[in-house]
Amino acid sequence: MTLRRVVAASAMFVVLAWAATALATGPDPADAEYRSFLGLQPRTVVWFLAELHLMFGAFVLGVPIFAVIIEYVGARNGDRRFDELAHECTRLLAAAYATTAALGGLMSFALFSLYPKVMQHLSGAMHDSFYIYGLCFFGESFTLYLYYYAWDRMRARAPARPRLARALRWPTIALAAVVAPLGTYLFFLNGDAAMASERGVVDPLYPVFGWLGAGFLVVYGVYAWAAGRKALHIYLGVLLNLWGTALMLIANSWASYMMSPSGVDPETLQFSGTTWQAVSNPLWRPLSAHRLLGNLSFGGFVVGAYAAVRFLIARRDSERAHYDWMGYVGNVVGLAGLLLLPFAGYYLGREIYSVNPVMGNDMMGGFFSWAFILQAVLVGLLLIGANYYLWAGMARIEGAQRYRWLIKFIVAGLVVAFLVWITPHNLPLAPAEQARYGSQYHPVLKYLGLMPAKNAAVNFILLSTFFSFLLYRRANKGELVAFRDQGGRARVAVVVALAVSLALVGWYAHTTFTLAPEALSLDPEREGVIDFHGWMLVAHMAVQIAAVALVFRGRGKLGQALLVGSTAVIATGVFGLSGYVVLQKANPFLRNLAVGQTLLVLACMILTTAIDLALFRGARQLGAIRWGRIGTRAQYALLLLCIASVLTMGLMGYVRAGLRQQWHIYGVLKDTSAQAATPLMAEMSRVVGAITVVFLVLVAFVFWLGTLSQRRAEDGDVEVDP
Amino acid sequence: MNGRGVLFGCVAVLLGAVAFLELVFPHLAQAIAGAAAPLPVPRTLLWWYLGIIAIGEALYVLSSDAALASFLDPLRRAARGELDRGRQALFAVALGLIPVIAGIGVYGLFAVDATPPAVARQQHPGMSSASAAAYQGVGNPLRAPTAEMLVAFADRYAALEAPDDPVDARPPPRDFAALGRDEQLAVFRDVQVREGRALYARSCTPCHGAKLDGDGHASYAWSLPAIDFREPGTIETLVEDAVLWRVAEGGLGLPPIATPWDSVMPRWKDDLTQEQMWQVIMAVYADSGVEPRVLELRHEEAP
């Protein structure tokens, strides 16, 4: 008792002393460029709040993407479980939403009061976007609460006006088929539009997109109204995602403007452009693509961790079955986002180099290169953890024993690739080692530290993870239905997937062949080095066609093996080795080569998945998937995945913001405060670690709040049907 | 590693990895690099590698109840004394090794170590430090000379005397003004490279070597030898501004984050003009067969 009093009194004393010292410094002048709050470092305050807001925001934007997809699947196949799962994910969303908004508000207050000079510049350049952001926020809030609270009322699937629904079905699909690719192209892929808008010219495709998009929303809305309450509810879910994406795009423009400002007069360093110029800055699109996928993956892993905790504390088998399934879905979603993230990350990194090579060098070769070693460890942890969860999950599938012998080879492949992935180029060497090697590098291992090795290793890890997923999918599938009996849909799906993957690889082969060495400041005689890669891509296109031909001849598994094998050989083996030749003879081409590698892997995943879906449709089941019959170790793996995901997001947030170094707005507005120095790795570890702990505690508390009403229902013994 | 062999398999793989990394790899690396002595794996990396291999094994063992049981079974039976005598003895030896290894570890932690610690340093210190600020965005004017520079060069070109060194002889003088723009540029750059070479031979060869491979006779005097320009991942990953900064400010101008470099690179701005330094840089790139990092075109075109 006495000890407790002493501790309490000491704590009170410390708090009072701190507050007195902080207040004794007096108020900051009204026109101060920087202020502080209770003696805390303003940068750390903003860092903490911004990162927490971003993490909650990622969850709130990521979860609706898959919640609505799960709901749609449930509405299609009539399985109530899917609907319940989507509803449960939305319950978490509703709970986390208010916290996200509160953190956002707190962060804005902190920014405006602690960094008035910065916010003066930002609001001068982009204040128009602030109002649009606020309006979108209303849209998001109303749609979310409608989507969540109207769930039970809008379960009916019977169409209200069947004839109208039938009439509008195809126009809706046709409009979506135009609007979605156009939007993706305009916002994420169109570098020329970025260029044009930097100069203040708006690509005429944007108004076209605006009108088409509005038309789509109207037609789809009427169709959904006619097609029944469930369809209308799904429409609300789609709207929710659109509001969320709009919010994210606007907020991303602020962050990316600070890294790559556009519309600034180079002489006066004053903003002189339009709001659109400021928004459409060079890093806006790549950052948004990266964050969109990051949110999806993050949301998946957080949901997975929630399910794992509920599984571990569940008292009934039915609950365990439900949460096992939920954890599985969370992991698949997290993994799907994660598999695509390196592509978006590479795109972002490459654009950072393009905007400012010095910033690029600081990122990969300089101050932040050790943060990337940490990132390599965390990404490796995520991928290997996700693999482990899939292997452990095979325990619940009858028939999976047939594939267990393969796992040790996947482990071996992953370990070798991970060893290459983690070997740094500039490893700290002991003086004796330096003397022995006669250089700052190990004469042989240094090659593993270079980009060709890294690209090969990460693509191999991605392919291995994809392979694990394929094994999991076919674990309880036995005899196949012959492909010729699979019907027209399967054939069309495979042919469309072939067309998409041929287009991806073919487009890049064409780019490679038409790439003049002079455009990369290279000697014309280096063309042979570049063309070699084009020919390898063409060879792989032949393999793609051969694989599909095999599928049509009833040798689908052989076709898949050929496809995955050829991708592994070309993307990791051949291009891994030829990367060194490129490094030596045509270095600027290396970034193009990396794009070729990632496209090969992406095309392989698309086509192999399509073949897999067509091949195993209606296959004889060797046994059931016994949901809930999984070890607790797998649940801890889900928790680990969530923690690693949160840590990765915190770490890379530090890198993204820190890349500006002593600039608030790169090259335009300098940080002249006492904290202008970039935080060292040790400080980063402390702050990001603290953010991770606070986020996990907050999220656990918010989820607990969200489940209070559900618990009452369960105490009334509502059966959760797995 | 199936059946009862999981434990055995794990131990064998780990020992195999140690044997390969410690006994085979150094000789393999020596053969590949053509070095005079075996090249062992750096200690830090060795521990990373072994740790990751062990984690991989743990993942496999923990991925199914059957694998875990077969991994633990021999240990359980040994602890109960149910194995045959030979294996029981092996188990006792392995058990005895644990405190020995722990003891060696503890000794290593607390014993006074005479070797200086290895420190993480930066291969490319960023250009954000104060000494680099003046060089950011300077751009090599000799790569894309203006019309005025070419006019000024025409006079200088006419006045150039044939150098004594026949190896470095410049091409026969031509009427510069009569040449087309592309030819003018070619002659202009060619002369810059040649003059850069002469400067390099005088100022840089002692350390960086005549072949630009860091094998100059003075290089052996330094604890960090001079950089090999032909090495992938050195000057070819840098924009020319960064190279100019390194040449101009030398080891003295390195920011603290780049320590301990022990770089004895002189501060060349004291001895050379900026134009001369650009000439040397052009010569170094031309002769080492690598290209400087460049902006991608579409952003270069942006205002």
Side-chain angles (χ1 to χ4, degrees), chain A residues 191 195 198-199 282 350-351 353-355 357-358 361-362 365-367 370 373 384 388 391-392 404 407-408 411 415 418-419 422-431 433-434 436-448 450 519-522 526 583-584 587-588 591 633 661-662 666 680, chain B residues 1-2 25 29 32-33 38-45 48-49 52-53 56-57 59-60 62-65 67-68 116-128 136 223-225 227 230-234 236-239 257 261 289-299 301-303:
Chain A
M195 280 276 300
E198 272 173 61
R199 295 201 195 95
R350 186 179 156 165
E351 290 300 311
Y353 266 109
S354 299
V355 166
V358 171
N361 260 342
D362 279 344
F367 190 91
W370 283 94
I373 301 277
I384 290 175
Y388 172 79
W391 305 331
R404 270 216 62 88
I407 288 175
K408 57 178 164 287
V411 173
V415 164
F418 196 53
L419 295 183
I422 207 165
T423 304
H425 187 213
N426 52 347
L427 181 82
L429 293 180
E433 286 170 336
Q434 270 177 20
R436 184 193 281 262
Y437 304 147
S439 135
Q440 308 156 32
Y441 309 106
H442 187 284
V444 173
L445 289 172
K446 69 182 176 188
Y447 291 107
L448 299 186
L450 296 173
L520 299 172
S521 314
L522 284 171
R526 304 282 161 91
L583 198 64
Q584 196 78 33
N587 184 32
R591 47 198 170 201
R633 287 193 298 275
Q661 302 220 19
Q662 79 278 36
Y666 200 78
L680 295 177
Chain B
M1 278 207 276
N2 48 13
F25 180 82
I32 293 171
L39 300 166
V41 181
R43 291 297 92 176
T44 323
L45 211 50
W48 286 12
Y49 284 176
I52 290 167
I53 292 169
E57 291 183 339
L59 282 177
Y60 176 75
L62 293 172
S63 69
S64 81
D65 289 341
L68 181 62
V119 181
R121 62 163 190 85
Q122 296 208 348
Q123 187 201 356
H124 304 304
M127 283 190 80
S128 315
Q136 245 190 70
S223 71
L224 277 187
I227 204 96
R230 303 170 316 172
E231 173 94 32
T234 60
E236 70 179 338
T237 67
L238 298 174
V239 286
I257 189 71
W261 267 72
V290 296
E291 303 286 339
R293 185 184 282 282
V294 285
L295 285 169
E296 280 186 67
L297 286 178
R298 59 194 186 80
H299 287 298
E301 286 161 10

Side-chain angles (χ1 to χ4, degrees), chain A residues 9 72 104 140 232 238 241 246 288 346 356 363 399 418 439 536 547 649 667 692 716 718:
Chain A
Y72 173 75
E140 167 98 354
L232 193 57
V238 172
N241 276 298
S288 300
Y346 190 82
N356 191 324
M363 176 172 73
F418 196 53
S439 135
M536 290 310 294
M649 195 175 258
T692 304
V718 172

Side-chain angles (χ1 to χ4, degrees), chain B residues 205-250:
Chain B
T205 312
C207 296
H208 289 286
K211 292 187 212 155
L212 301 97
D213 53 0
D215 206 18
H217 58 268
S219 184
Y220 294 95
W222 319 121
S223 71
L224 277 187
I227 204 96
D228 174 359
F229 294 125
R230 303 170 316 172
E231 173 94 32
T234 60
I235 54 169
E236 70 179 338
T237 67
L238 298 174
V239 286
E240 284 188 304
D241 293 348
V243 183
L244 178 70
W245 165 48
R246 299 304 322 114
V247 175
E249 299 291 340

Side-chain angles (χ1 to χ4, degrees), chain A residues 199-271:
Chain A
R199 295 201 195 95
V201 183
V202 179
D203 190 316
L205 276 176
Y206 282 95
V208 173
F209 171 75
W211 284 111
L212 277 175
F216 163 71
L217 286 180
V218 171
V219 174
Y220 179 29
V222 177
Y223 162 75
W225 170 72
R229 287 190 172 186
K230 194 69 203 169
L232 193 57
H233 192 255
I234 292 171
Y235 176 68
L236 284 177
V238 172
L239 273 188
L240 181 63
N241 276 298
L242 293 179
W243 287 123
T245 308
L247 281 171
M248 186 200 69
L249 284 172
I250 297 172
N252 286 352
S253 74
W254 307 331
S256 56
Y257 175 83
M258 291 173 78
M259 296 174 79
S260 59
S262 49
V264 176
D265 186 326
E267 298 299 321
T268 62
L269 293 184
Q270 295 295 314
F271 180 75

